[in-house]
Amino acid sequence: MSEASEKLRQSGLGKAFFVGFLLLSMILFLALGFLQMDRLQWKEQLIASANDRLNAERVQLPAQTEWAELNPDAFDFQKVRLSGQFLECCEARVFISLPKKRDRYSGPGYWIVTPFQVADGGVVFVNRGFAPQEQVLPKAEYASAPKGTIEVEGYMRRPERVGSATLEPDL
């Protein structure tokens, strides 16, 4: 043992640092535990709210004039019905990798998202489902959305949170 470490051990300073480190660690772990309990409570409320909406009656999509006042927390997972037609101009394929077996699909693929012109006015985006990467055809060969006026039933979802990797909107 070096002379400096021997002096530190004899002075009790090393023990004080060690005890201080243990106290700081304990405070940190307690704070993280309380944070996790808060998250658990929030998550349970979110699941209960989503289950209530999933079991509720289907409603007509609110008029476009009401969209600006909609509270995202109040309509997330709300069952809705709307009529109109798909717009083929702007279909988007959102790449995702499903981590585990989900229905009959897992692994890399695309959510097929198509704009839908609502008969009462306004445009919403409809997620038409998942297509595995190996089954996705080039745009020209891809089976297009149904044509003409149709009725769609689905769930309203809140807008996705913008992250640091999110691109600016290209309207």
Side-chain angles (χ1 to χ4, degrees):
M1 207 179 269
S2 73
E3 187 177 320
S5 61
E6 184 62 34
K7 285 183 183 178
L8 188 64
R9 189 178 66 78
Q10 287 177 356
S11 69
L13 200 53
K15 288 181 185 177
F17 280 130
F18 182 69
V19 170
F21 172 76
L22 289 178
L23 285 173
L24 285 174
S25 298
M26 183 181 74
I27 291 169
L28 174 68
F29 291 134
L30 281 172
L32 289 172
F34 285 119
L35 175 67
Q36 289 300 321
M37 294 304 290
D38 287 343
R39 284 181 45 111
L40 173 65
Q41 182 182 13
W42 168 79
K43 192 73 157 184
E44 287 174 343
Q45 289 173 345
L46 180 67
I47 290 169
S49 174
N51 283 335
D52 289 345
R53 290 190 192 113
L54 290 173
N55 295 323
E57 290 294 317
R58 196 169 302 279
V59 298
Q60 195 65 30
L61 180 73
Q64 181 186 6
T65 56
E66 300 173 28
W67 292 358
E69 286 82 39
L70 286 176
N71 176 358
D73 293 328
F75 73 74
D76 201 18
F77 291 106
Q78 176 67 52
K79 284 181 173 179
V80 293
R81 176 183 314 105
L82 54 148
S83 64
Q85 57 189 358
F86 283 105
L87 304 174
E88 293 186 40
C89 69
C90 314
E91 178 181 277
R93 296 176 183 180
V94 181
F95 183 78
I96 187 168
S97 184
L98 298 178
K100 58 183 175 185
K101 196 84 167 153
R102 182 178 176 147
D103 294 326
R104 59 184 183 251
Y105 298 115
S106 64
Y110 299 89
W111 292 119
I112 308 298
V113 181
T114 308
F116 187 83
Q117 176 71 54
V118 181
D120 298 338
V123 175
V124 297
F125 287 91
V126 175
N127 182 342
R128 293 178 43 221
F130 179 79
Q133 188 173 21
E134 64 273 2
Q135 292 180 1
V136 174
L137 299 171
K139 193 95 165 157
E141 300 175 33
Y142 188 71
S144 63
K147 303 219 183 315
T149 301
I150 62 171
E151 189 167 286
V152 174
E153 292 183 347
Y155 299 95
M156 287 175 55
R157 291 301 318 271
R158 70 179 309 125
E160 295 290 328
R161 289 190 174 93
V162 175
S164 60
T166 305
L167 299 173
E168 289 295 319
D170 182 1
L171 303 177

